[in-house]
Amino acid sequence: MIDPRIRRGTERMLAARAAASDPIGWKAGFGAPASLASLSIDRPLVGLLTRSRLLPTGASVSVGSWAKPMLEAEVCAHLAADIGPGASPASALAAVGGWSVAIELADVSFAPTDVEEIVAGNIYHRHVLLGPVVPSLPTPLSFAVLRDGVEVAATSEPEALTGELGVVLASMADTLAACGAGLRAGEVVITGSVIAPVPLQAGAWQVVAYGLGEVGIDIR
């Protein structure tokens, strides 16, 4: 049974997706244990990715007009097969044809308290950047976030915040299926921030996932 707040927000998000000409995939959000607890939800929220919001690594973005700009370091799954409702975590992982590191830029423009409004507003999404695709995830997997070459955050346990990636993908498939959509072959899925979102300041930012790749952006 899907939380009615999640259903209403997801249906509104999907209506916006239907009007978009360039959807490329999906994003998970608010899947960290503290976020699940604070919103009283049982699964990560699902948002939309579009090609118009996809930036190349090294792009420059001005965030001076944003309310609360944040950077999230993420793992991106590149789907080679559909993931249907009721999929097991193992079968969800088996549907992934490749993996990459990702940066998501978000603007927390209103307080994150209303689940429906968070999802309907596409979970604060502004831009996404994807690194090169590799066929499998390295083990172990660790991440670092750097600003102007100086490490500002790191983790050697990326699934501690996102949850196990197969579980995340299966949950997203269930949520979308309940609202008449799904995870499809050819789509990309960013699976949630592996490090607590980092407030953005001007500088050259990099996310390095050792063995997976790196991606960077210049913030003005």
Side-chain angles (χ1 to χ4, degrees):
M1 183 82 176
I2 188 171
D3 185 315
R5 300 170 298 164
I6 295 177
R7 180 186 292 277
R8 291 192 301 268
T10 303
E11 289 173 346
R12 290 169 62 187
M13 178 273 293
L14 290 172
R17 184 180 191 270
S21 61
D22 58 348
I24 58 171
W26 310 94
K27 58 161 286 181
F30 288 87
S35 299
L36 295 172
S38 69
L39 293 174
S40 298
I41 54 177
D42 64 352
R43 66 188 68 196
L45 307 176
V46 182
L48 167 66
L49 299 179
T50 60
R51 192 164 301 281
S52 60
R53 300 280 182 167
L54 175 65
L55 299 176
T57 188
S60 182
V61 174
S62 175
V63 300
S65 63
W66 296 16
K68 190 176 180 181
M70 308 293 284
L71 178 145
E72 298 186 4
E74 307 207 15
V75 175
C76 179
H78 298 252
L79 300 184
D82 296 356
I83 303 176
S88 69
S91 64
L93 289 177
V96 179
W99 302 89
S100 64
V101 62
I103 287 175
E104 183 183 14
L105 301 183
D107 183 17
V108 186
S109 53
F110 58 91
T113 55
D114 186 317
V115 171
E116 179 180 344
E117 293 303 319
I118 292 169
V119 183
N122 209 23
I123 320 178
Y124 304 111
H125 178 71
R126 293 298 178 268
H127 293 291
V128 65
L129 299 89
L130 305 178
V133 180
V134 301
S136 59
L137 282 175
T139 303
L141 180 61
S142 61
F143 278 74
V145 178
L146 299 90
R147 175 176 174 247
D148 295 330
V150 178
E151 184 179 290
V152 297
T155 183
S156 59
E157 297 182 333
E159 291 180 317
L161 281 188
T162 62
E164 197 273 318
L165 295 181
V167 173
V168 174
L169 292 170
S171 169
M172 295 174 73
D174 286 344
T175 297
L176 290 171
C179 299
L183 298 182
R184 306 299 183 211
E187 294 179 333
V188 297
V189 183
I190 57 173
T191 52
S193 189
V194 302
I195 295 171
V198 179
L200 278 174
Q201 303 173 20
W205 291 82
Q206 283 182 298
V207 171
V208 180
Y210 299 100
L212 181 59
E214 61 183 75
V215 64
I217 188 164
D218 182 49
I219 297 297
R220 296 178 281 109

